[in-house]
Amino acid sequence: MRFSLRIFLGYFLLVALLAVLLLKLVGDEIKPAVRQSTEEVLIDTANLLAEAVQADFVAGQLNESRFAAALQAFAARDPEANVWGVKRDRTFLRVTITDAKGLVLLDSSGQDVGADYSQWRDVYRTLRGQYGARSTRADPNDELSTVMHVAAPIRDGNKIVGVLTVARPNWAMQPYIERSEGKLWRAGALLLAVGLLLGAGFSWWLSRGITKLTDFAHDVGAGKPVAVPHFVANRELTTLAQALGEMREKLEGKAYVENYVHALTHELKSPLAGIRASAELLDEDLDADDHARFVGHIRAETARMQQIVDYLLQLATLEARRSLHEPQALALGELVDGVLLALAPQSGHCVIEHAPWPDDQVMGERFLLEQAIRNLLQNALDFTPAGGDIRIGITRQGNALQLTIFNEGESIPDYALPRLFERFYSLPRPGTGQKSTGLGLALTRAITELHGGSVWLANSEGGVSAHLRLPLSIA
């Protein structure tokens, strides 16, 4: 079963169950609410009529009163009314009057005159000064035949001398109850249909997003260059898509590094082969010049290979560290001076300029920071043509010091800018076309991040700028 269909079915069952429960709850409240409202009206009616008949009742002129005549006329009256689509052609209100003993003196229906009502709840309680009301089935087997009775006392001063009861059959209210229930169920069915449509739309929308993610995963697995999908108003799926995109980038980066490891291995074969050949030639009879030349070649290739191994070991150590070891306050300008002095033999082909250094200090490990600065300066020297300028500056940027090294030369290609700090990635040096190990900038980034800073390279007018930013030392 498809995921979207399972979501829809679960949503359907939940909505249907809630709808039925709600409609049943509201439906069960309709009938009591209507009857409670009717009882409220009957209370007012009974008390009004009790006041209207009080004078004639006390005077003993009940049967000859205008009230009795009015009741007979009322019983025969046709209201000729249409109430909310229900036709009314008769009256349903019945009025009975009993004396202080509970005997019926007047009945608007003419049925129970002389009957003893003293034990009926409405009469019994009212004669004792309490609220009297009851509901009685006209037919014990028919629930709808229930008649509601509400009584009010007839008083002579403070003495209760009689009881006036108004009665109304509940079946007279049934058409309105059924009409309300019908409207309620129709509205409920409509809302349920709308809810199901919304649920179907939601299920389709969610399933479509998951399908897009699935297709994206399949395309990534197949190596297709597809864009990371974006989902409107769905942060969870968008976050998941971004996570998949990041995973793809890391996997691709891992594959890229593996390719460069293979390339580096291939490059190491060449110096190893040269070393082996030179060593074999040394076994032969050679003059002093050839002997010195082959020994020098072996030493140069061995030093290059040793440099690669040292860089890799240092980089692995730094990436495993999470904090500095015995950091100290260091003047960044002093570190730059030391590196410039060490690189002086290599910097004769260019002009190096810098302004006076600020006195601000940074917290860090001297050896590591000198290594990072040396890598950046070495990179600038390698890419500066003969007679070119290198300008160095240190400025305060908020709570950080920023070292900027500008060198004249060719701009960095756009495709290379985001990859300069990757392991084993290197651009050919101008003039010779040779590449470095591609580990210097990666090592610099690891050192900088360990110190809580950042490093980046950018093209500037007439050349390239390297920026190293480190947090200020807090005194």
Side-chain angles (χ1 to χ4, degrees):
M1 183 182 294
R2 294 187 60 182
F3 179 71
S4 59
L5 182 58
R6 282 183 286 178
I7 292 179
F8 176 73
L9 290 177
Y11 177 82
F12 171 80
L13 293 175
L14 179 62
V15 171
L17 179 61
L18 291 177
V20 170
L21 290 176
L22 180 60
L23 291 174
K24 188 177 185 304
L25 178 63
V26 176
D28 290 343
E29 291 297 319
I30 289 177
K31 187 179 295 184
V34 171
R35 291 181 177 177
Q36 289 168 6
S37 299
T38 302
E39 184 174 353
E40 287 286 338
V41 174
L42 291 180
I43 291 173
D44 291 342
T45 303
N47 282 274
L48 174 62
L49 294 179
E51 290 295 329
V53 78
Q54 188 265 347
D56 291 334
F57 185 90
V58 173
Q61 299 174 356
L62 181 60
N63 291 326
E64 293 82 16
S65 65
R66 295 180 60 185
F67 183 82
L71 283 182
Q72 292 180 357
F74 170 76
R77 191 177 184 88
D78 181 358
E80 297 181 357
N82 191 308
V83 183
W84 297 99
V86 179
K87 186 177 180 181
R88 284 284 305 276
D89 57 359
R90 55 175 293 191
T91 59
F92 297 107
L93 198 66
R94 178 184 177 185
V95 180
T96 59
I97 299 177
T98 61
D99 59 16
K101 295 180 180 181
L103 299 177
V104 178
L105 301 180
L106 180 65
D107 185 352
S108 62
S109 68
Q111 298 177 6
D112 291 339
V113 175
D116 184 2
Y117 276 16
S118 61
Q119 297 306 309
W120 288 113
R121 181 181 177 85
D122 54 320
V123 177
Y124 180 85
R125 291 176 60 86
T126 304
L127 287 174
R128 285 157 178 76
Q130 302 172 357
Y131 171 63
R134 65 182 170 92
S135 290
T136 305
R137 291 185 184 183
D139 181 354
N141 298 320
D142 186 1
E143 181 182 0
L144 297 179
S145 67
T146 303
V147 179
M148 185 181 299
H149 299 74
V150 176
I154 301 173
R155 300 177 184 273
D156 183 6
N158 293 327
K159 182 180 180 182
I160 298 176
V161 295
V163 176
L164 184 142
T165 299
V166 291
R168 195 170 195 276
N170 286 328
W171 57 261
M173 298 172 279
Q174 192 63 28
Y176 305 103
I177 294 175
E178 292 177 351
R179 185 174 183 272
S180 298
E181 289 178 340
K183 292 178 66 176
L184 176 65
W185 282 103
R186 286 193 295 272
L190 178 61
L191 291 176
L192 179 61
V194 172
L196 292 179
L197 288 176
L198 292 175
F202 171 77
S203 299
W204 173 83
W205 173 69
L206 183 60
S207 176
R208 180 172 175 267
I210 294 176
T211 300
K212 288 178 65 176
L213 282 178
T214 303
D215 293 340
F216 173 69
H218 287 322
D219 291 338
V220 169
K224 297 180 180 179
V226 292
V228 177
H230 178 72
F231 304 93
V232 178
N234 195 323
R235 186 177 62 181
E236 290 76 12
L237 286 182
T238 299
T239 302
L240 179 57
Q242 291 173 349
L244 289 175
E246 293 172 359
M247 182 179 68
R248 176 186 65 173
E249 293 175 358
K250 291 180 179 179
L251 290 175
E252 289 176 348
K254 181 174 181 288
Y256 184 80
V257 170
E258 290 175 350
N259 292 335
Y260 258 79
V261 169
H262 291 308
L264 181 62
T265 303
H266 178 72
E267 290 180 4
L268 288 177
K269 290 181 180 179
S270 178
L272 284 174
I275 291 173
R276 178 182 298 174
S278 297
E280 291 175 352
L281 290 173
L282 288 175
D283 290 335
E284 300 179 3
D285 292 332
L286 299 174
D287 56 34
D289 291 339
D290 288 338
H291 186 276
R293 180 164 57 86
F294 288 127
V295 170
H297 179 71
I298 291 174
R299 288 174 177 170
E301 294 299 328
T302 303
R304 181 169 179 269
M305 293 173 62
Q306 184 64 48
Q307 183 185 30
I308 294 175
V309 172
D310 291 343
Y311 266 142
L312 283 174
L313 290 175
Q314 190 175 7
L315 183 59
T317 301
L318 284 174
E319 290 179 342
R321 288 174 59 177
R322 294 293 180 267
S323 61
L324 297 173
H325 296 164
E326 299 181 359
Q328 57 182 313
L330 301 169
L332 194 57
E334 180 186 338
L335 298 179
V336 175
D337 286 336
V339 174
L340 286 174
L341 182 62
L343 293 178
Q346 306 176 34
S347 60
H349 69 287
C350 59
V351 179
I352 299 178
E353 302 174 351
H354 65 80
W357 309 126
D359 296 330
D360 299 294
Q361 295 179 320
V362 297
M363 290 296 295
E365 296 183 29
R366 177 183 294 275
F367 174 78
L368 293 181
L369 290 180
E370 286 179 343
Q371 182 68 58
I373 296 170
R374 183 187 184 97
N375 290 338
L376 293 178
L377 279 171
Q378 183 67 62
N379 200 65
L381 290 172
D382 290 346
F383 286 91
T384 302
D389 288 341
I390 293 180
R391 296 191 294 272
I392 307 173
I394 298 177
T395 57
R396 182 166 180 170
Q397 304 286 335
N399 294 324
L401 277 185
Q402 181 167 306
L403 169 66
T404 301
I405 303 174
F406 169 82
N407 69 278
E408 287 185 337
E410 297 181 0
S411 298
I412 301 172
D414 291 339
Y415 68 84
L417 274 173
R419 302 181 59 185
L420 292 174
F421 291 91
E422 292 181 5
R423 294 183 185 180
F424 308 113
Y425 188 82
S426 177
L427 292 174
R429 270 49 180 170
T432 64
Q434 294 181 347
K435 294 183 179 181
S436 69
T437 62
L439 295 172
L441 289 180
L443 184 62
T444 300
R445 181 177 64 179
I447 293 173
T448 306
E449 291 178 350
L450 184 63
H451 283 76
S454 58
V455 61
W456 68 96
L457 271 68
N459 289 320
S460 301
E461 184 177 355
V464 176
S465 294
H467 305 274
L468 175 66
R469 181 177 294 181
L470 295 168
L472 281 170
S473 173
I474 301 176

